[in-house]
Amino acid sequence: MRKKIVAGNWKMYKDKSETIELISQLKEKLSSYTPEVEIIICPPYTSIELAGELIKNSKIFLGAQNMHSEIEGAFTGEVSGKMLKSFGVEYVILGHSERRSYFKETDEFINQKIKRAIEFDIKPIFCLGETLEERENGKTFDVVENQLTKGLSGISRIDLEKVVVAYEPVWAIGTGKTATPEQAQEVQSFLRTKISELYDSEIASKVRILYGGSVKPENAKDLFKQPDIDGGLIGGACLKADSFYQIILAAQF
Ligand code: 13P
């Protein structure tokens, strides 16, 4: 049985005081009842240290939204896995479509980052997904297979245990247009089969595959009920404690 994950990607939201407000509200809700779900928050870098302090002794894990593949160097504006680790970061979102499209990140670069994250014992939340155009042209499976294969290139079976995959169809991100549970399940079951072909079925059955893209309290349960959807990577709905908590509750069955 794979433990479900609900991860909140704060993106470029929440300053210092808003970070304190959101985390205290979330902790308050979780103090009355915390389901058996792995809860992760991924604030912006500026809030990482503060968030880490605020969630100490809680059941919330700390994640980051990105990192560079190098350990250190002259890369103005970048942050390394070594730095994140020193602040207690346990997960890192890599290959998000916003990084791929706005910042031109390639599959090769994402692959290097995944390897580096594992080296620093940070679990990558490896995102992939097709654009609307690719879906309409019948290319969804080719696209996600290509992203998966390149992203995991050179990663050993043992290291794969630390990787979480997140299927995020680009057309569903921030658009309010969620993939139907069937559409998400179809791709996620395909991804699991591919992982099983790349490695073996035992490890494929252990890898958590999340769905992301306009997940809300109203649609979370139907998505999370699908056999190959092991939770969600949440954008907009994680910015309010109430909706994020409702989604966490939806993951407990
Ligand atoms: P939304 O939930 O706002 O669609 O964002 C999803 C996402 O990109 C999470 O990484």
Side-chain angles (χ1 to χ4, degrees):
M1 193 55 185
R2 297 180 293 268
K3 188 168 183 178
K4 289 225 171 17
I5 294 178
V6 174
N9 176 5
W10 292 15
K11 306 194 179 182
M12 199 172 75
Y13 290 95
K14 305 294 178 189
D15 63 16
K16 190 173 178 180
S17 63
E18 292 162 342
T19 297
I20 297 171
E21 191 185 2
L22 177 57
I23 294 180
S24 34
Q25 288 172 351
L26 185 60
K27 272 173 44 182
E28 165 92 40
K29 291 187 182 297
L30 291 168
S31 69
S32 57
Y33 175 65
T34 308
E36 271 306 299
V37 171
E38 217 164 297
I39 303 160
I40 306 167
I41 55 168
C42 305
Y45 294 138
T46 44
S47 288
I48 286 277
E49 183 173 19
L50 176 59
E53 281 161 18
L54 294 169
I55 62 174
K56 236 178 227 155
N57 304 319
S58 80
K59 291 200 171 158
I60 307 170
F61 292 93
L62 185 60
Q65 296 174 24
N66 186 30
M67 57 172 259
H68 199 275
S69 62
E70 292 297 321
I71 300 174
E72 58 185 11
F75 299 100
T76 303
E78 291 293 318
V79 163
S80 74
K82 178 171 178 273
M83 294 166 184
L84 294 177
K85 189 69 194 172
S86 72
F87 284 99
V89 168
E90 296 188 70
Y91 289 86
V92 62
I93 298 171
L94 296 174
H96 193 281
S97 72
E98 287 150 18
R99 300 293 322 170
R100 291 178 189 262
S101 63
Y102 303 142
F103 301 98
K104 307 284 170 257
E105 292 197 3
T106 62
D107 290 309
E108 290 68 28
F109 189 34
I110 294 160
N111 172 249
Q112 287 165 9
K113 294 184 194 208
I114 293 176
K115 288 179 176 155
R116 191 68 80 188
I118 292 169
E119 187 184 319
F120 280 96
D121 199 25
I122 301 174
K123 299 181 193 80
I125 302 176
F126 166 35
C127 304
L128 45 80
E130 81 288 0
T131 62
L132 184 59
E133 194 189 350
E134 288 162 345
R135 175 162 281 262
E136 285 174 346
N137 289 327
K139 296 215 177 92
T140 298
F141 295 101
D142 288 347
V143 168
V144 296
E145 179 175 359
N146 189 44
Q147 289 172 331
L148 182 83
T149 310
K150 288 187 173 156
L152 295 181
S153 168
I155 291 172
S156 69
R157 186 186 188 281
I158 275 281
D159 285 342
L160 186 69
E161 295 202 19
K162 299 178 191 127
V163 178
V164 175
V165 175
Y167 169 56
E168 296 208 311
V170 180
W171 49 271
I173 297 177
T175 58
K177 220 171 132 186
T178 323
T180 63
E182 294 72 27
Q183 282 175 319
Q185 166 59 25
E186 187 185 27
V187 176
Q188 299 196 194
S189 128
F190 172 81
L191 289 170
R192 200 176 300 287
T193 305
K194 287 293 147 195
I195 294 171
S196 146
E197 286 168 17
L198 290 170
Y199 296 87
D200 59 67
S201 59
E202 195 202 338
I203 186 77
S205 72
K206 287 189 186 157
V207 173
R208 265 95 51 96
I209 308 180
L210 313 183
Y211 167 79
S214 299
V215 178
K216 303 177 202 73
E218 303 83 59
N219 58 28
K221 206 166 190 170
D222 285 341
L223 286 160
F224 298 164
K225 271 197 300 208
Q226 298 295 315
D228 289 295
I229 302 186
D230 305 311
L233 182 53
I234 321 300
C238 82
L239 299 174
K240 291 211 163 75
D242 191 45
S243 44
F244 192 51
Y245 184 62
Q246 293 304 323
I247 295 171
I248 294 167
L249 291 181
Q252 72 182 322
F253 298 108

